[in-house]
Amino acid sequence: MSTSKLSAALAQVDWEQNISTMMAASERQETITAATLHLAIWSKQLEQTDERNPALCFIREMQNAAHNTAVLIPLGLYKPAAASMRAILEGSMYYTYFRSHHVELATLAREEGFYVEKKEILVFHKEHTPNFVVRERKLGVISRLETTYSQLSAVIHGQIPGKWVTYTAVSDISYNQKVCDEAIVVFTEVMEIVKRLFLCTVAQEFWHSFSKAAKGKILHGLSGEQKLELGLDSA
C-alpha cells in the first residue's frame, strides 16, 4: 500500500462516529473508565510505596497498556486492544516477580534471549509467596488468569480466524456492538485478575502504606469471606 493510498483509507474511516456511537451507551463508557481507573489506583499506590524499585517499569507498562485499551476499543480496533489487554496481564505478573528479582531484571535488560515465562512466575508465588496458594484459590486468580490469557492469545495469534476482526480493509474500520461489548467484558475481567493477583502477592507487604480511599476502592466487590482470608483492613 502506497503512502497516498494509506492516507486516503485512513481518511475514509469515520473515527469520530466510531467513538460517539460507542460512547452513546453510558454503561460502556463507565465500564471502560472504571477498569482504567482501578488500574490507575493500583499504579499510584505502588509507585508511592515501592518508589525505588526498578521493577516499577512494569507497572508503568501496565498502565500504558490500559490507556491503549481504553483508546482502541472506542476506535473500533478490537484485535489490537486484545494485545494491549494481554500486556496488562503480563506487566502485572512481571512486576510481582521482578520486584524481588533484581539480578534477573538486570539480565532481562541486558540479554535479548532472556525471559521469564508465566508458568515460572506462578510457580515462584506458589513456592515462595506466603499463603499465596490458599488465597489465590479463594479469589480464583490462576484459573481466571489462565482462561483470559489463553482467550486473548487466541485472538492475537489468529487461532480463531476473524475473532475480534470486523473489517477486511482499513477504510472499513467501524464500530461493532457485539465485538465492542465482548472486548469491554474481557477488559473488566483483566482488571479484576490484576486486582486479585496483587491482593494475593504485593498487597500483603504494602497495605499499611496505601491510602484509606484506595483500600476501599480496591476491596470493593470482594465477599466478606475473601476479605477475611486476605486479612486486609479498609481503614
Side-chain angles (χ1 to χ4, degrees):
M1 180 184 291
S2 66
T3 302
S4 59
K5 288 184 178 180
L6 176 59
S7 296
L10 289 170
Q12 289 182 55
V13 180
D14 195 337
W15 302 107
E16 185 175 349
Q17 180 64 31
N18 289 352
I19 296 169
S20 61
T21 303
M22 197 220 78
M23 293 299 188
S26 60
E27 67 273 13
R28 294 192 185 101
Q29 182 177 352
E30 290 167 2
T31 303
I32 290 177
T33 300
T36 309
L37 176 60
H38 193 88
L39 293 171
I41 290 170
W42 273 108
S43 297
K44 182 177 181 179
Q45 297 304 308
L46 293 172
E47 287 274 4
Q48 291 176 339
T49 56
D50 202 18
E51 61 179 343
R52 297 184 183 277
N53 199 318
L56 282 170
C57 60
F58 295 111
I59 292 297
R60 294 165 195 144
E61 284 292 326
M62 179 192 78
Q63 192 167 17
N64 180 257
H67 292 162
N68 288 341
T69 302
V71 170
L72 290 166
I73 292 176
L75 290 175
L77 298 170
Y78 308 115
K79 185 168 183 175
S84 290
M85 283 188 257
R86 194 176 72 170
I88 294 171
L89 294 175
E90 291 171 339
S92 65
M93 285 189 291
Y94 290 151
Y95 170 71
T96 67
Y97 179 82
F98 284 111
R99 61 172 297 273
S100 60
H101 290 75
H102 294 173
V103 173
E104 290 92 333
L105 181 57
T107 303
L108 182 70
R110 185 178 63 251
E111 301 292 341
E112 291 185 3
F114 177 77
Y115 65 95
V116 177
E117 294 183 346
K118 172 168 59 68
K119 181 179 179 180
E120 294 178 66
I121 296 173
L122 296 177
V123 168
F124 163 75
H125 285 306
K126 287 178 180 179
E127 295 180 350
H128 302 292
T129 300
N131 301 312
F132 174 77
V133 173
V134 175
R135 287 170 176 157
E136 81 81 14
R137 284 176 181 168
K138 184 68 68 176
L139 272 67
V141 178
I142 292 179
S143 59
R144 295 173 73 160
L145 171 62
E146 295 286 9
T147 297
T148 302
Y149 192 94
S150 295
Q151 179 184 359
L152 290 170
S153 294
V155 174
I156 294 165
H157 299 304
Q159 294 171 359
I160 305 175
K163 185 72 171 178
W164 286 20
V165 178
T166 60
Y167 53 90
T168 56
V170 171
S171 58
D172 295 331
I173 297 174
S174 61
Y175 168 79
N176 182 289
Q177 180 176 328
K178 180 178 180 298
V179 181
C180 178
D181 288 344
E182 184 176 345
I184 292 173
V185 167
V186 177
F187 186 29
T188 300
E189 177 66 2
V190 166
M191 178 277 290
E192 193 66 31
I193 291 167
V194 171
K195 162 185 172 176
R196 293 170 184 240
L197 174 65
F198 284 166
L199 283 172
C200 291
T201 55
V202 299
Q204 307 300 323
E205 180 177 347
F206 297 130
W207 196 250
H208 66 283
S209 298
F210 283 13
S211 71
K212 182 178 179 179
K215 288 179 179 180
K217 290 176 181 177
I218 288 171
L219 293 176
H220 180 72
L222 295 180
S223 69
E225 186 179 2
Q226 290 171 330
K227 293 177 184 177
L228 183 63
E229 183 62 52
L230 290 168
L232 301 174
D233 64 87
S234 58

